[in-house]
Every structure is written in C-alpha cells, then in structure tokens.
C-alpha cells in the first residue's frame, strides 16, 4: 500500500472514530444501540480495507482495456508493448509504460477516471 492509501485510510479512521463518538453520545441511554452502530461502522471499515486491493486490481484492468482501445484507434498500424498488464505494487493504478515494438523510445500514459489518456513522460530504454 502506498503512502496515499495509508493517509486515506487514516483519515477515514479518524472520521469513523468521530462518528462512533457521536453515536455513543446520541445513544448514551441505549448502550446496545450504540454498540450495534459502532460494530457496523467498524465492520464496514475493515471490510473496505480488505477489499481495497481488489478494487485497485479491477480498476487497473479496466484502464488497461481503455489504453489498448485508445492505442488501436489512434495508431492502427503500429504494435505496442504495454506494461504492467496486471496491477503490481509500486505502480500507480491506470499508469502504463508504452513502447513501440521497433523503437527504443517509450512513453508513460495515464488513464484517468473519465477514460481520458494523457502522456506524462517520455523515456528511452
């Protein structure tokens, strides 16, 4: 998990603690209700934390299909090597290194949430 994700989950955790505190304040005379609300919030948080890597893998796979479609539509006569095909730790979701097979030069392309493809860098092998 990269530092952005850790900060994201820490902020969600702080908001969750605030929500649990508010629930205990609202239900101070009904301890069972406060425990049920707290339990549901904690179970939801843990479930989202455990499911988050799957979300990243699925998003990367969708964006890989978008980059392949973009390259086929924009450069129909050329063949490209795209990496990473599958999501790997250390890579940003939706960011791909694209190299034409017959060239030593490559580009890094990023696919955003809307499906827009932008070039963010150029590199040489």
């Amino acid at each position: 998990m990269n530092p952005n994700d850790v900060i994201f989950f820490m902020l969600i955790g702080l908001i969750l603690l605030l929500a649990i505190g508010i629930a205990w304040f609202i239900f101070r005379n009904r301890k069972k209700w406060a425990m049920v609300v707290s339990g549901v919030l904690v179970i939801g948080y843990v479930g989202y934390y455990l499911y988050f890597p799957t979300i990243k893998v699925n998003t990367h796979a969708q964006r890989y299909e978008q980059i392949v479609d973009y390259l086929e539509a924009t450069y129909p006569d050329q063949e490209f090597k795209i990496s990473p095909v599958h999501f790997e730790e250390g890579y940003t979701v939706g960011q791909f290194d694209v190299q034409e097979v017959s060239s030593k030069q490559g580009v890094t392309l990023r696919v955003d949430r809307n499906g827009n493809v932008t070039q963010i860098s150029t590199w040489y092998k």
Side-chain angles (χ1 to χ4, degrees):
M1 205 178 281
N2 63 23
N4 292 338
D5 297 337
V6 173
I7 292 171
F8 174 70
F9 278 106
M10 286 176 58
L11 289 175
I12 289 177
L14 288 174
I15 292 169
L16 184 72
L17 285 175
L18 181 64
I20 289 172
I22 291 171
W24 277 92
F25 179 74
I26 290 173
F27 297 117
R28 62 180 165 247
N29 294 331
R30 299 179 179 174
K31 303 271 188 229
K32 286 185 181 180
W33 283 63
M35 289 184 70
V36 167
V37 169
S38 299
V40 167
L41 290 174
V42 168
I43 289 171
Y45 177 75
V46 170
Y48 182 65
Y49 182 81
L50 295 174
Y51 189 66
F52 189 72
T54 305
I55 293 172
K56 289 172 82 172
V57 168
N58 293 341
T59 303
H60 188 80
Q62 290 172 350
R63 292 184 182 174
Y64 179 81
E65 293 299 323
Q66 291 175 341
I67 197 81
V68 168
D69 293 341
Y70 169 79
L71 291 172
E72 287 176 354
T74 309
Y75 308 103
D77 298 335
Q78 296 176 345
E79 189 176 333
F80 294 97
K81 178 182 174 188
I82 305 170
S83 66
V85 175
H86 304 288
F87 179 72
E88 300 173 9
E89 278 298 322
Y91 283 93
T92 304
V93 174
Q95 186 169 315
F96 303 93
D97 293 330
V98 179
Q99 179 183 7
E100 187 179 358
V101 173
S102 63
S103 174
K104 292 186 178 187
Q105 180 180 1
V107 295
T108 302
L109 299 176
R110 180 177 294 154
V111 181
D112 63 5
R113 292 180 180 179
N114 301 325
N116 299 326
V117 178
T118 55
Q119 178 180 340
I120 58 173
S121 68
T122 304
W123 49 271
Y124 294 93
K125 194 168 188 180

